[in-house]
Amino acid sequence: MRRQKALKYMKTDRNTVLRAAELSKLILTEDETEKMVTELGKLAEIIGNLDIGDISETGSEAAQPVSEAREDEVKPSAERDKILQNAPEHTEEYFCAPDTFDKGGDE
Amino acid sequence: MKYETVIGLEVHVELASKSKLFCSCTTEFGGEPNSHCCPVCTGMPGTLPVFNRKVLEFAVKAGLALGCDITRVFRFDRKNYFYPDLPKAYQISQLYAPVAVNGHTEIKTADGTVKTIRIHEMHMEEDAGKIIHSPDGKTAFLDYNRCGVPLVEIVTEPDFRNAEEVNAFLYRLRSVFKYLGISDCKMEEGSMRADVNLSVRPEGSEEFGTRTEMKNINSFRAIERAIAYESARQIKVVENGGTIIQETRRWDNASGRSYAMRSKEEAKDYRYFPEPDLPAFHISDDEIKRCKDLIPEFAEERAERLVREMSLPEEDAALITASRNLADLFEDTVKICGAPAEVRFWFTGGLLSFINETGRDPEDIALSPEKFAEFAGLVVSGELKREAGKKVFRALLESDGELDLRKFIKENGLETLDDGELIAETVRKVIAENPKPYEQYRNGETKVFGFFVGRVMKELKGRADPAAVNSTVRNILGNSLEKHL
Ligand SMILES: [Zn+2]
């Protein structure tokens, strides 16, 4: 009982665009939504026209022998103050992000 | 109406590779926050993941031990979700070609019933970081030390009907993984975590009810409680004419309740796609065979064999084989000294109680079979009496197996005493020092006999042969009785 794994082509309508926007954390205006429906629709059509047939085995022939993958060796991690500098906000120990996430509510 | 609970599990187990799944940072538990991090595991742009092949070896072993088919060409896929515990905003996981599929394992519940649990699949993925929420709820402090630590996720079919079966499976899984040396499976440290998918249906029904998924359960006890709570909750909803909503619920162990997670994140759409930064990998027959050859005899099978071959009582065999390290120690020691009964005596009495008292991890016991055999040999040959041996054995364990046995015995005067005159002298001394029990004995209260034997043994530090002490006490007390009359 394998999971349904076939990729499906979706019709690009208003709902698809709004869903994609939601997943991308984007807020679109009415104009932008309309524009996206048209433009993404065209893109999807081009991709749909490619009709590349069965791709389920694609890549297998290019598979790399796993023996060529990395050896399990520990190397020094980055210095903490350097790695923390990559974030817009941090303390001496932690990266910081806005905590606007729902942590679960009432039953 | 009677209801049946139907449960499936998703179990995450951290694998004990030294370095992370896609970078060379250490996987060591703990450490200062963000001290086990690099640009790869903190998701910096321009970095690329590099696959650690040890993780594959561990996953293949786990897959084989769970009776799975190993996927010859496996790939990684990107699971997109937006949450600060994941700096890349996606997790590298496996969806389309997981490393192992279609397995099964047997569990045994307390009443001895054996049941087969089917494994849907097992895949590799990277762990996420830790979030600490600020008290005002405005800031998330992020520690990415665990981020990128390799995990396998084992997905079972919905074959469980109660918490006991679930825990039997998790115990079995833990034992197998520890025997394979691929994980320490410590629930309290989060290296083994279970998500419980649960639904209820009228007994006899073939259709599945709507299920909920409970996350965040991190002990065997919590699993029992969470299952009891959630099935009762669902039955109540159904009986009151309501419908179960398919949702993720967070188990809160402190309040003993599960809560619906209202987050939009729960509108699950992970937009999986093949990971473009990693190639597909191919496993050869040789590599699979090599893993197969490394699969040991597991705890339950081993316990059965010990019962059969060495006539061990079942409980002892179960205790001994609970840890692979201890079971190896036991069997190797017996092989060297050829005295299974003596080794068992020190094992169950001495070693296991030492572990219980000190809370040591059985896997960390460093005593070598050679040393253990040397000790057992001293007792078998009579150089050391069991009573005196207790002190020696304890010191041996406390020294992590480093103790010089003969030196310790000599320095503490614990060698066996076969000096009949010294025993007799000690008996007379003990009698002289305890006039009251002696009086009792003379008045026919023979039960105090044991008291004298015990005292004499203690005076002699357990070094004397108990039979010799017994007969000496009997003789001297008897003689004195005659004289008295
Ligand atoms: Zn790293």
Side-chain angles (χ1 to χ4, degrees), chain B residues 203-218:
Chain B
E203 225 172 57
S205 162
E206 289 292 309
E207 256 169 74
F208 291 120
T210 307
R211 66 190 164 87
T212 60
E213 181 182 5
M214 274 186 296
K215 289 187 180 288
N216 204 26
I217 318 182
N218 56 10

Side-chain angles (χ1 to χ4, degrees), chain B residues 34-51:
Chain B
N34 294 304
S35 61
H36 302 162
C37 297
C38 72
V40 176
C41 56
T42 51
M44 291 303 141
T47 59
L48 285 173
V50 189
F51 179 53

Side-chain angles (χ1 to χ4, degrees), chain B residues 326-364:
Chain B
L326 293 189
D328 287 348
L329 175 60
F330 178 78
E331 289 207 71
D332 293 345
T333 307
V334 169
K335 226 172 273 168
I336 296 168
C337 74
E342 197 61 37
V343 176
R344 198 188 103 213
F345 175 84
W346 295 103
F347 214 91
T348 49
L351 180 54
L352 295 180
S353 49
F354 173 76
I355 288 170
N356 280 340
E357 278 167 40
T358 56
R360 290 275 286 271
D361 185 338
E363 302 303 324
D364 294 340

Side-chain angles (χ1 to χ4, degrees), chain A residues 1-7 10 19-20 22-25 55-81 83-87 89-107, chain B residues 17-26 32-39 42 44 50-54 56 73 75 82-84 95-96 120 132-133 137-144 157 229 233 249-250 257-260 262-265 267 269 271 279-282 287:
Chain A
M1 200 191 77
R2 299 281 292 271
R3 250 181 247 172
Q4 187 58 43
K5 286 169 184 178
L7 294 160
M10 271 190 285
R19 177 87 180 117
E22 188 193 344
L23 290 166
S24 316
K25 317 286 166 199
I55 55 157
S56 56
E57 287 305 308
T58 310
S60 305
E61 66 282 354
Q64 191 178 311
V66 78
S67 54
E68 287 173 17
R70 177 171 63 89
E71 196 80 67
D72 183 26
E73 271 172 7
V74 175
K75 290 181 186 155
S77 294
E79 280 171 46
R80 183 165 69 186
D81 51 340
I83 203 88
L84 287 169
Q85 275 169 21
N86 291 321
E89 264 186 71
H90 61 85
T91 65
E92 270 176 34
E93 296 177 299
Y94 295 100
F95 293 95
C96 299
D99 197 359
T100 53
F101 299 92
D102 188 7
K103 294 181 283 290
D106 298 330
E107 207 180 339
Chain B
S17 62
K18 294 192 200 78
S19 64
K20 290 186 179 178
L21 184 51
F22 298 118
C23 67
S24 302
C25 291
T26 179
E32 287 285 300
N34 294 304
S35 61
H36 302 162
C37 297
C38 72
T42 51
M44 291 303 141
V50 189
F51 179 53
N52 178 350
R53 70 174 192 233
K54 193 74 182 178
L56 191 265
V73 177
R75 296 185 193 82
F82 191 66
Y83 200 65
L95 178 71
Y96 299 109
H120 180 71
I132 298 153
H133 301 278
K138 284 184 182 146
T139 311
F141 297 105
L142 308 161
D143 174 6
Y144 291 131
E157 298 293 352
Y229 175 86
R233 187 191 71 86
R249 299 177 69 83
R250 196 170 59 90
R257 296 158 71 131
S258 68
Y259 296 90
R262 288 178 307 184
S263 163
K264 285 227 172 102
E265 292 304 312
D269 190 335
R271 290 159 294 147
F281 288 99
H282 171 259
E287 276 153 341

Side-chain angles (χ1 to χ4, degrees), chain B residues 131-160:
Chain B
I131 303 181
I132 298 153
H133 301 278
S134 68
D136 64 5
K138 284 184 182 146
T139 311
F141 297 105
L142 308 161
D143 174 6
Y144 291 131
N145 281 353
R146 302 314 292 162
C147 196
V149 169
L151 296 174
V152 281
E153 180 177 338
I154 298 125
V155 183
T156 77
E157 298 293 352
D159 288 346
F160 305 96

Side-chain angles (χ1 to χ4, degrees), chain B residues 153-170:
Chain B
E153 180 177 338
I154 298 125
V155 183
T156 77
E157 298 293 352
D159 288 346
F160 305 96
R161 296 292 173 267
N162 55 53
E164 196 201 348
E165 291 176 1
V166 168
N167 276 346
F169 175 79
L170 292 173

Side-chain angles (χ1 to χ4, degrees), chain B residues 62-321:
Chain B
L64 291 170
L66 295 173
C68 294
D69 301 328
I70 303 300
T71 310
R72 295 311 171 97
V73 177
F74 66 92
R75 296 185 193 82
F76 288 96
D77 301 291
R78 226 175 244 201
K79 179 181 182 179
N80 297 279
Y81 73 87
F82 191 66
Y83 200 65
D85 62 358
L86 210 58
K88 296 196 295 294
Y90 61 84
Q91 178 190 35
I92 303 181
S93 180
Q94 294 191 291
L95 178 71
Y96 299 109
V99 64
V101 294
N102 293 333
H104 57 87
T105 191
E106 278 182 355
I107 56 163
K108 207 186 203 170
T109 46
D111 63 359
T113 321
V114 175
K115 183 171 178 178
T116 301
I117 302 298
R118 293 166 301 153
I119 311 286
H120 180 71
E121 62 156 64
M122 188 185 75
H123 60 259
M124 297 177 277
E125 61 186 28
E126 49 183 351
D127 207 351
K130 194 169 89 184
I131 303 181
I132 298 153
H133 301 278
S134 68
D136 64 5
K138 284 184 182 146
T139 311
F141 297 105
L142 308 161
D143 174 6
Y144 291 131
N145 281 353
R146 302 314 292 162
C147 196
V149 169
L151 296 174
V152 281
E153 180 177 338
I154 298 125
V155 183
T156 77
E157 298 293 352
D159 288 346
F160 305 96
R161 296 292 173 267
N162 55 53
E164 196 201 348
E165 291 176 1
V166 168
N167 276 346
F169 175 79
L170 292 173
Y171 281 123
R172 166 85 188 164
L173 203 61
R174 185 174 69 166
S175 165
V176 164
F177 277 30
K178 284 172 88 167
Y179 258 66
L180 288 170
I182 63 175
S183 176
D184 57 13
C185 293
K186 284 185 181 158
M187 276 195 149
E188 67 279 13
E189 286 182 7
S191 61
M192 179 166 158
R193 318 188 278 267
D195 296 345
V196 174
N197 294 313
L198 187 150
S199 63
V200 295
R201 62 182 176 191
E203 225 172 57
S205 162
E206 289 292 309
E207 256 169 74
F208 291 120
T210 307
R211 66 190 164 87
T212 60
E213 181 182 5
M214 274 186 296
K215 289 187 180 288
N216 204 26
I217 318 182
N218 56 10
S219 75
F220 291 99
R221 178 82 190 107
I223 283 170
E224 261 173 54
R225 293 177 67 206
I227 289 173
Y229 175 86
E230 181 61 14
S231 50
R233 187 191 71 86
Q234 289 192 14
I235 290 168
K236 207 168 132 196
V237 170
V238 174
E239 289 203 320
N240 291 336
T243 36
I244 306 293
I245 305 158
Q246 183 166 352
E247 63 188 354
T248 303
R249 299 177 69 83
R250 196 170 59 90
W251 170 252
D252 182 53
N253 207 38
S255 66
R257 296 158 71 131
S258 68
Y259 296 90
M261 291 168 80
R262 288 178 307 184
S263 163
K264 285 227 172 102
E265 292 304 312
E266 285 317 306
K268 263 187 203 164
D269 190 335
Y270 293 129
R271 290 159 294 147
Y272 277 102
F273 62 86
E275 172 56 57
D277 287 344
L278 285 161
F281 288 99
H282 171 259
I283 319 170
S284 69
D285 291 345
D286 273 2
E287 276 153 341
I288 292 182
K289 189 179 174 302
R290 209 161 44 235
C291 289
K292 220 173 233 164
D293 292 343
L294 290 170
I295 303 244
E297 179 188 31
F298 291 116
E300 281 158 40
E301 295 80 2
R302 196 168 189 178
E304 280 166 22
R305 182 171 56 77
L306 290 183
V307 169
R308 210 167 51 237
E309 286 179 0
M310 294 190 196
S311 330
L312 287 189
E314 269 179 42
E315 311 84 81
D316 286 4
L319 286 172
I320 289 167
T321 56

Side-chain angles (χ1 to χ4, degrees), chain B residues 422-472:
Chain B
L422 181 58
I423 296 174
E425 219 171 82
T426 313
V427 173
R428 283 192 285 270
K429 179 170 162 258
V430 167
I431 292 174
E433 282 170 4
N434 293 282
K436 211 169 158 221
Y438 178 55
E439 191 65 33
Q440 284 171 296
Y441 187 81
R442 285 197 314 183
N443 291 334
E445 283 183 51
T446 46
K447 66 178 196 299
V448 294
F449 179 77
F451 163 81
F452 286 109
V453 173
R455 270 300 158 92
V456 172
M457 281 304 275
K458 203 173 165 200
E459 283 282 324
L460 297 171
K461 296 183 187 163
R463 295 180 300 155
D465 180 6
V469 172
N470 236 305
S471 64
T472 313

